């Protein structure tokens, strides 16, 4: 499941790809998304194993999980929001201060004061670069 890969790649666990990995019978769309997740981890140091993690409150913490990842130096911050539901959902994430968010896969930008409302696909995720 792609959500599992996002969780592993963004919580700082080692996620290694091998040549044999590409021999699995994944759909082209799944393989493409997985490659994008792995690429993002290498492009954004805050997603790496040394980054810190801080849980953020959501509209319903039993259904969604949101957290900030930061580099040890604090010069980069990422917001990850996960939907563990089998349905498309809209949720809210509560930030402790204003931020400009850039969706790293879609490129959209949004300025948020304290509450981010966003749509998530079934078993989906969003990953944002955070600028304060």
């Amino acid at each position: 499941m792609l959500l599992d890969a996002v969780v592993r790649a963004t919580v700082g666990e080692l996620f290694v790809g091998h040549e044999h990995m590409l021999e699995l019978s994944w759909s082209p769309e799944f393989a493409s998304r997985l490659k994008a997740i792995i690429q993002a981890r290498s492009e954004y140091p805050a997603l790496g194993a040394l980054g810190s993690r801080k849980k953020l409150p959501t509209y319903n913490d039993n259904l969604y999980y949101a957290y900030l990842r930061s580099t040890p130096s604090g010069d980069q911050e990422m917001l990850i929001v996960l939907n563990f539901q089998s349905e498309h959902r809209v949720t809210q994430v509560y930030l402790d201060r204003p931020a400009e968010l850039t969706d790293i896969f879609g490129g959209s930008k949004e300025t948020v004061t304290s509450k981010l409302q966003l749509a998530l696909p079934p078993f989906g995720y969003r990953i944002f670069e955070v600028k304060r």
Side-chain angles (χ1 to χ4, degrees):
M1 174 186 291
L2 194 57
L3 183 60
D4 181 52
V6 170
V7 170
R8 291 177 189 273
T10 62
V11 297
E13 298 298 319
L14 185 60
F15 188 84
V16 180
H18 297 287
E19 293 172 16
H20 302 290
M21 192 169 139
L22 299 177
E23 295 173 11
L24 298 174
S25 58
W26 293 332
S27 71
E29 180 184 359
F30 183 92
S32 174
R33 288 183 177 180
L34 183 57
K35 286 178 185 178
I37 293 165
I38 294 168
Q39 178 84 22
R41 179 150 177 195
S42 66
E43 288 179 20
Y44 297 97
L47 298 176
L50 297 177
S52 64
R53 182 176 46 223
K54 176 185 174 187
K55 185 181 180 321
L56 295 176
T58 68
Y59 172 72
N60 186 335
D61 290 337
N62 293 321
L63 303 177
Y64 315 100
Y65 191 72
Y67 53 101
L68 289 172
R69 292 295 314 263
S70 302
T71 56
S73 63
D75 62 341
Q76 186 181 70
E77 202 172 36
M78 307 295 288
L79 168 64
I80 298 93
V81 185
L82 309 170
N83 175 16
F84 292 108
Q85 305 308 301
S86 59
E87 298 91 26
H88 182 273
R89 299 285 181 134
V90 175
T91 190
Q92 295 172 353
V93 177
Y94 303 101
L95 303 174
D96 59 354
R97 56 189 164 158
E100 182 178 303
L101 306 176
T102 303
D103 185 315
I104 67 167
F105 297 120
S108 63
K109 292 186 179 195
E110 184 171 348
T111 301
V112 178
T113 55
S114 63
K115 180 173 61 175
L116 170 66
Q117 183 167 316
L118 70 154
L120 295 166
F123 299 112
Y125 59 91
R126 301 279 298 274
I127 303 174
F128 300 91
E129 185 173 19
V130 179
K131 299 288 185 191
R132 304 267 185 170

